[in-house]
Amino acid sequence: MFKVALISVTLAVPTATYAHTTQVLSGYWQYEEYLDANPEQKELTKDLIETVRSKAVPISVKQTKPLSISVVYPGQQVSDYWVRNIKSFESRLKELGVNYEIKQVFTRPNLDVRQQSLSLLEAIQSKADYLIFTLDTTRHRKFIENVLSSTDTKLVLQNITTPVRAWGEQKPFMYVGFDHIKGTRLLESYYKKVVPGGSRYSVLYFSEGYVSDARGDTFIEEMSHHDSYQLSSSFYTTATRESGYNAAIKAVEKDPKISFIYACSTDVALGAAQALKDIKREDVLVNGWGGGSAELEALSKGELDVTAMRMNDDTGVALAEAIKWDLEGKKVPDVYSGDFELVLKTDSPLKIEKLKQRAFRYSDN
């Protein structure tokens, strides 16, 4: 059990003031919007999607030296997405016959600023061929813009599928992930189906940044369009289980009549679920986000009600295939998003097992 403590809280403004979804991420192209506006990219992305779903075809060119790949991920969290991503990435590279050397650093989400900075600087100074990073904060963006303008290292942005409009042609090698808006809309559809219109709810954000905007603000905006769902409260967390626990307690204390809590990440969701159990408010629905191993276990126990499950290993495979294409001199798509499946606590163990075999086809081996 977590000890309840005060945390920093940001209450959302009333839902009526939120802009339409396309304005929530106004500085970004939405995934489908970008592909529709760039037909050549749409075809390249389609080809990569088909390749990811197919068996590996070995690289057709001979390398003169191993590739140098640096990875800096916020992997120190309960969610196993990042660890699985690396495993599937390396497994596919080996199947493809790509010769590589990899250096990886896992940090805490948005907290290990010094560690992130040192690791990123080291990757640039060592002239790595590829640097795989993420974009969630203003600090990340400033670093990325410096890399794009001053080095030959090819930058892959992981966990973001919405190209930055302001970068224009000075863009990263690739955006890859699971489109946050697509996953959010799956959960929105679920809640609208099972929760009566007019019900009140709370949103537990990730830490402040892009992920919270894409998953949290998009959800609030979408819910505001139908049947007068009411946002009772929202809280930024520190993206940890404990902060999710604390925020859930506060949400219920503020409004005991909320029908559900929309959680923006795995750690936050598991903390919220534990809080609801401890205060005997398991009538309040709560979702996971991502569908990793910890969430699937919680669903099987009835501790979570639903999740948007990423077909996790897709992105690692997509990264490996994109690098292979690049080595072969082929065009690589600017953006790739993997598949989602909505998973409920009432789904059969057989269905869950089949989804796990698909989602973790490399990372479980």
Side-chain angles (χ1 to χ4, degrees), residues 47-118:
D47 290 345
L48 184 56
I49 289 171
E50 292 175 357
T51 300
V52 167
R53 293 171 179 169
S54 304
K55 290 184 179 180
V57 177
I59 189 169
S60 62
V61 298
K62 188 173 182 180
Q63 294 175 248
T64 56
K65 62 175 184 176
L67 287 179
S68 171
I69 303 170
S70 289
V71 180
V72 182
Y73 276 174
Q76 292 183 12
Q77 45 187 307
V78 177
S79 170
D80 55 358
Y81 171 71
W82 301 96
V83 174
R84 287 185 179 279
N85 176 263
I86 289 289
K87 189 168 182 181
S88 60
F89 174 52
E90 290 201 71
S91 296
R92 187 71 165 204
L93 282 175
K94 289 170 183 173
E95 278 190 354
L96 295 171
V98 174
N99 191 6
Y100 70 96
E101 295 173 348
I102 191 167
K103 182 171 184 180
Q104 60 192 58
V105 175
F106 282 170
T107 65
R108 292 173 295 169
N110 296 335
L111 292 179
D112 292 343
V113 181
R114 178 175 172 77
Q115 179 62 63
Q116 280 187 352
S117 299
L118 289 173

Side-chain angles (χ1 to χ4, degrees), residues 31 45-55 73 80-93 96 156 158-159 161 174-179 182 290 309-323 333 335-341 354-364:
Y31 180 69
T45 297
K46 181 181 176 183
D47 290 345
L48 184 56
I49 289 171
E50 292 175 357
T51 300
V52 167
R53 293 171 179 169
S54 304
K55 290 184 179 180
Y73 276 174
D80 55 358
Y81 171 71
W82 301 96
V83 174
R84 287 185 179 279
N85 176 263
I86 289 289
K87 189 168 182 181
S88 60
F89 174 52
E90 290 201 71
S91 296
R92 187 71 165 204
L93 282 175
L96 295 171
V156 175
Q158 166 65 274
N159 202 33
T161 62
M174 192 179 185
Y175 297 85
V176 61
F178 293 85
D179 185 43
K182 192 177 295 184
M309 182 181 178
R310 297 174 287 215
M311 296 298 100
N312 199 101
D313 293 358
D314 283 0
T315 49
V317 174
L319 273 174
E321 291 288 351
I323 287 175
V335 62
Y336 168 88
S337 176
D339 295 330
F340 284 96
E341 294 287 343
K354 286 182 177 179
L355 286 173
K356 286 169 68 174
Q357 289 174 9
R358 178 179 159 200
F360 310 141
R361 63 192 191 276
Y362 283 98
S363 59
D364 258 355

Side-chain angles (χ1 to χ4, degrees), residues 96-153:
L96 295 171
V98 174
N99 191 6
Y100 70 96
E101 295 173 348
I102 191 167
K103 182 171 184 180
Q104 60 192 58
V105 175
F106 282 170
T107 65
R108 292 173 295 169
N110 296 335
L111 292 179
D112 292 343
V113 181
R114 178 175 172 77
Q115 179 62 63
Q116 280 187 352
S117 299
L118 289 173
S119 300
L120 292 166
L121 183 62
E122 184 179 335
I124 297 305
Q125 290 177 338
S126 66
K127 297 183 178 179
D129 295 307
Y130 298 90
L131 170 59
I132 309 172
F133 188 44
T134 191
L135 169 59
D136 191 38
T137 67
T138 302
R139 185 177 67 251
H140 292 163
R141 181 161 174 165
K142 288 178 179 177
F143 175 83
I144 290 163
E145 288 172 348
N146 183 56
V147 172
L148 293 176
S149 63
S150 61
T151 76
D152 292 328
T153 296

